[in-house]
Amino acid sequence: MQAGGIQDLGGARAWRRPAFGAVEGLLLLVAVIWGGSYSAAKIATGEVPVLQFLVLRFGLTFLLLLPALRGLAGAAWPAALTGAALLGINLLAIFVCETFGVSLTSASNAAFLISLCVAFTPLCEWWLLGERPGRAVLAAAGLSLLGAGLLAFQHGGRSGLAWGDGLMVAAAFLRGVMVCLTRRQGQRHGLPALTVTAVQMGVMALGSGLLMLAVHGPAWPPLPRSLPFWGAMAFLVLLCTLFAFFVQNHAASRTSPSRVALLMGSEPLWGALIAVLWMGERMAVQGWVGGLLIVVSAWWVTRRPTGGG
């Protein structure tokens, strides 16, 4: 059985959909949780600068995960630590793009646009893992980009909106890279998923702190005392970061990158619904059509083999 569900049956290659198991169920739960992260981040970044928000989010998570660093023990730990740190740098780039992006666009737009990673991931597999996508995958990528264009310009393409949407597209591409790199590092070093997550959080907290020092100087703005801010932070640290990244790192070495991206493809629906119901955001018909095209393309990619025509 090869990754992606291609099976040799009596000398003939046939496509068989992989079974939906516990790993897939956890990924689907993460998609629901991450769907709410855009609204929570929107609330938090309304009260503190983006980089301070990132330092708090990942610094608190790293402190909670300090005991997991014991998983680095072993003769090959320097190479494993380097690999996990590189994943942390890539993840920091994702969250800088995502968090600035969601602060410059709507939470519903951000949720839909980040799902472009479903179209980008097979292309990243081709680039990083040597697994060439088929024509159906390339067509789905084009459909996703069309949906992203409709979504981005649903309100006339104001400059702030365009910047925010562009950052979310960049974050989606980096997510595709992240899934593939996580799979490759997991196969090479076999670190426990919680240890990888701990290293990533440490790198991200340090990187966010250095960026904040460079941008804002040594002054640390006072922390908010509002319940909505700390409620959003608790949700983001405990569920969207601690739990969700552990699940993603756990799953990335147990199923194909495209399958991981597929199951995360329901995230924009949850994100848009939560933004509309919780944040009171409004989306134009053109925006819903664009979001639907992105989701349909994600569904199409996951029902077809990622290699061949």
Side-chain angles (χ1 to χ4, degrees):
M1 182 73 176
Q2 297 182 6
I6 295 184
Q7 185 181 33
D8 187 52
L9 299 174
R13 290 166 67 81
W15 174 253
R16 181 172 70 85
R17 187 188 300 276
F20 190 94
V23 169
E24 287 77 13
L26 285 172
L27 285 170
L28 189 59
L29 176 60
V30 167
V32 177
I33 291 171
W34 272 354
S37 69
Y38 303 101
S39 296
K42 191 81 173 175
I43 291 172
T45 55
E47 300 198 36
V48 297
V50 167
L51 292 174
Q52 183 183 14
F53 161 75
L54 291 176
V55 173
L56 285 171
R57 177 175 178 179
F58 300 118
L60 291 171
T61 308
F62 177 67
L63 291 176
L64 293 173
L65 286 175
L66 275 175
L69 293 178
R70 289 177 296 185
L72 288 171
W77 73 264
L81 177 61
T82 300
L86 288 174
L87 293 179
I89 293 171
N90 187 85
L91 200 55
L92 175 61
I94 292 172
F95 273 90
V96 168
C97 289
E98 275 192 18
T99 310
F100 276 106
V102 79
S103 70
L104 294 172
T105 188
S106 65
S108 51
N109 260 32
F112 274 123
L113 288 170
I114 200 63
S115 68
L116 284 170
C117 69
V118 177
F120 289 144
T121 298
L123 302 178
C124 293
E125 283 186 83
W126 188 10
W127 171 37
L128 296 171
L129 303 180
E131 299 177 12
R132 184 175 180 176
R135 290 187 296 272
V137 170
L138 295 176
L143 189 65
S144 285
L145 291 175
L146 174 60
L150 291 173
L151 191 65
F153 296 103
Q154 63 174 312
H155 300 297
R158 298 186 301 272
S159 59
L161 185 63
W163 270 109
D165 291 346
L167 287 170
M168 294 308 301
V169 172
F173 172 75
L174 290 172
R175 273 203 189 188
V177 172
M178 184 71 189
V179 173
C180 296
L181 291 180
T182 301
R183 179 176 177 84
R184 188 164 67 182
Q185 291 298 327
Q187 292 172 338
R188 286 182 179 177
H189 304 298
L191 280 179
L194 207 58
T195 302
V196 174
T197 306
V199 174
Q200 289 175 329
M201 295 304 108
V203 169
M204 293 171 70
L206 176 61
S208 300
L210 292 174
L211 286 174
M212 184 174 174
L213 184 63
V215 173
H216 299 290
W220 178 267
L223 293 176
R225 298 183 179 182
S226 69
L227 184 60
F229 172 83
W230 288 107
M233 287 298 302
F235 174 74
L236 289 164
V237 168
L238 298 177
L239 293 179
C240 298
T241 308
L242 187 62
F243 173 73
F245 282 105
F246 166 73
V247 169
Q248 188 179 36
N249 288 329
H250 173 77
S253 60
R254 290 166 173 79
T255 187
S256 73
S258 290
R259 191 149 175 83
V260 173
L262 160 70
L263 289 161
M264 308 306 279
S266 63
E267 178 184 340
L269 292 177
W270 298 110
L273 288 173
I274 291 170
V276 169
L277 296 175
W278 182 18
M279 304 288 290
E281 291 185 359
R282 292 185 178 182
M283 292 183 62
V285 173
Q286 177 181 320
W288 283 111
V289 171
L292 180 62
L293 288 178
I294 294 174
V295 173
V296 167
S297 69
W299 168 79
W300 179 255
V301 166
T302 56
R303 70 179 293 275
R304 297 294 296 258
T306 57

